[in-house]
Amino acid sequence: MITIDDFKKVEMRIGEIRSAEPVAGSEKLLRLVVNFGDEERQVVSGIAKHTADLQALVGKKFAFATNLEPRSLMGLESQAMILAVGGDGETPFAILEAPAAAPGARVK
């Protein structure tokens, strides 16, 4: 369990995907370039097996955790984490989409 104060430390913002491509040598990872309004970031995400059409992601807006420490995956630095649910065999996979929100908007 975490306190509400701990939860408030997590910054969640809407990002618009500018590009999506597979990471060479990985069946799970995608390299995303994401616009957060005031900046673009690289996000490496393990959603490749759940995403048949990468171009369908481009131009869509999703929720991301944006104040995590950067992490290196397959030699690429990931600067945020996309928020998704399911894909575990019990729950269908879905990315938390926010089509009406502006890039950079805070999730409250």
Side-chain angles (χ1 to χ4, degrees), residues 54-73:
L54 298 184
Q55 289 310 304
L57 295 174
V58 176
K60 291 193 176 177
K61 294 176 261 183
F62 300 103
F64 291 81
T66 55
N67 65 336
L68 301 172
E69 283 191 32
R71 182 174 176 198
S72 181
L73 300 163

Side-chain angles (χ1 to χ4, degrees), residues 1-12 67 106:
M1 300 297 247
I2 63 170
T3 68
I4 191 68
D5 290 331
D6 289 334
F7 181 73
K8 287 179 183 178
K9 293 176 186 177
V10 179
E11 179 183 276
M12 291 178 278
N67 65 336
R106 297 275 314 245

Side-chain angles (χ1 to χ4, degrees), residues 44-101:
V44 181
S45 180
I47 62 171
K49 288 188 174 185
H50 305 289
T51 310
D53 180 7
L54 298 184
Q55 289 310 304
L57 295 174
V58 176
K60 291 193 176 177
K61 294 176 261 183
F62 300 103
F64 291 81
T66 55
N67 65 336
L68 301 172
E69 283 191 32
R71 182 174 176 198
S72 181
L73 300 163
M74 300 284 295
L76 298 171
E77 183 178 83
S78 186
Q79 301 165 327
M81 180 173 36
I82 196 165
L83 302 181
V85 298
D88 55 10
E90 294 180 24
T91 306
F93 178 79
I95 304 171
L96 303 180
E97 190 173 0

